[in-house]
Amino acid sequence: MWIRRLPCRNIVVRMDTLPFAADPHLAPFVPAAVRELEVFGARVTLALLPSRKRRQDRPGDDRPAFRASPVGRILREEALWSRDGLVVTPNRYPFAAQQRILWPEQARREPDAAMWRAASVWAAAANGTALVNTVGAAASIARAHAHLVPERLPFLDALREKPVPAGLIEVPSGAELAVKDVPFCLLGVRGEAAAIAESLVRLADVRLTAACNVVVSGGAAWLYPRRRETPAPHFPYALGAAEVWGRWCYVDEEPFAAATAGMLEQALVAAGALVL
C-alpha cells in the first residue's frame, strides 16, 4: 500500500483503493452506431445511444425547476467505493466503457478542492478522463459529480493553442494556464493533480458564467464556460463535457445521421462563451 500526500488543505488520497480495474457492476457501453468527423481540424466521435433517452430530468424546456434529489438513494444502494467524504457509483447510462461517477457525500453544487484532487488523481493514474457538467451545462442532477472514464480521446490535444492573456488569475506553483485557438473560450490548466485542483477552485471563484463543463485528462483540465445549454439546430441536445471531450452523444437516429462537422463547430460556438 502507498499513499500520495497532496499539499493543499491536508487531503490524503489513497491511491491503492481508488477503483481503476474493470468492474462487472458497471453498465456496458454499446452504441447502436458510431461515426467520425473532424471538428476544427481534430477528430471527434459521434455515438448513437438511444438508452440515454431514459435518463430522468434530462435538460430541456419541460424539466421542472425543483425535484427531490435521487442522490441519497444512489449513494446508499449503488456505492462501489467510499472514503474521505467521496463515493464512487456506476453510471446507469454510460457514454464510455467502464464509466463510473464520483460524488461528494455532502451536498454541493460544484466540486470542492478535495473532489477535484481525487478526480485529477484518478484520471492521471488510470490514463483516463474525468468529466464534470454543471446544471445549465447538461447535468441532469444538481449535486456535483464527475464522470470517471478509463479512456482518452484525441480531440482536445489536437486543437492548436494561442498565448494566454496576461493577468487572468494567479495559478499555484506547479500549474500553468493554456488557451485553445478556437472561436470560443476553452481555457486549460496544466500541472500535477493538486495544482490542477487548486487552480479549478480559483477559476470557479472568478468565472462569470453560471454554467461550465470541465474535462480533466492528460495532465490538464479544460474549462468550457457556457452561455447556452442546447445549441439547436446545430446539436439538438444539451451539450456536455462528453462533447467537449470529443464524443458527441445522440439519442435519435435522424440527427445522428444528419450531423456534419460544420454543425458541430457551430454548436460549440453557439453554446460557449465567446470572450475569455
Side-chain angles (χ1 to χ4, degrees):
M1 168 179 163
W2 61 282
I3 296 175
R4 174 177 291 179
R5 296 189 181 275
L6 302 176
C8 300
R9 309 191 192 183
N10 298 317
I11 297 295
V12 176
V13 179
R14 298 176 183 270
M15 298 289 292
D16 61 313
T17 65
L18 288 168
F20 303 111
D23 190 324
H25 297 97
L26 300 178
F29 171 60
V30 187
V34 174
R35 298 178 56 203
E36 288 190 351
L37 293 171
E38 280 203 0
V39 172
F40 295 111
R43 180 163 53 90
V44 303
T45 301
L46 287 64
L48 180 59
L49 301 165
S51 65
R52 287 178 60 80
K53 196 179 256 188
R54 298 198 297 268
R55 290 185 304 150
Q56 185 179 15
D57 294 332
R58 287 192 303 142
D61 292 342
D62 58 348
R63 183 165 72 169
F66 298 91
R67 172 90 72 181
S69 174
V71 176
R73 179 198 60 76
I74 292 170
L75 300 190
R76 286 192 308 272
E77 299 178 4
E78 302 181 23
L80 301 173
W81 172 94
S82 64
R83 178 163 291 184
D84 300 323
L86 298 170
V87 181
V88 171
T89 70
N91 186 344
R92 188 172 295 180
Y93 305 109
F95 51 80
Q98 289 291 302
Q99 186 174 347
R100 302 163 170 89
I101 301 180
L102 176 70
W103 307 85
E105 285 184 342
Q106 297 299 316
R108 61 176 57 92
R109 214 161 168 83
E110 293 198 26
D112 63 0
M115 184 174 168
W116 279 128
R117 286 189 206 100
S120 300
V121 165
W122 190 95
N127 193 28
T129 304
L131 305 103
V132 171
N133 301 315
T134 68
V135 168
S140 58
I141 292 178
R143 184 178 301 196
H145 57 286
H147 298 272
L148 305 180
V149 177
E151 178 184 4
R152 290 177 59 183
L153 294 182
F155 176 64
L156 290 171
D157 288 343
L159 295 175
R160 293 180 299 177
E161 297 183 13
K162 61 185 180 181
V164 178
L168 187 61
I169 66 162
E170 182 181 347
V171 294
S173 175
E176 62 176 4
L177 295 176
V179 178
K180 291 296 183 180
D181 189 10
V182 288
F184 51 88
C185 177
L186 192 52
L187 176 66
V189 56
R190 293 191 172 98
E192 295 294 324
I196 286 176
E198 186 60 33
S199 297
L200 288 171
V201 171
R202 295 186 190 187
L203 284 165
D205 243 4
V206 299
R207 193 182 80 226
L208 296 181
T209 67
C212 187
N213 305 107
V214 182
V215 178
V216 182
S217 188
W222 296 98
L223 294 87
Y224 175 62
R226 301 296 296 277
R227 63 193 174 109
R228 184 175 170 189
E229 186 166 37
T230 302
H234 318 299
F235 184 66
Y237 315 109
L239 192 153
E243 286 74 31
V244 180
W245 180 44
R247 178 159 295 149
W248 292 74
C249 301
Y250 288 79
V251 301
D252 301 295
E253 188 169 359
E254 185 176 351
F256 168 81
T260 66
M263 292 168 65
L264 303 191
E265 290 176 355
Q266 291 180 70
L268 286 167
V269 173
L274 299 184
V275 180
L276 181 61

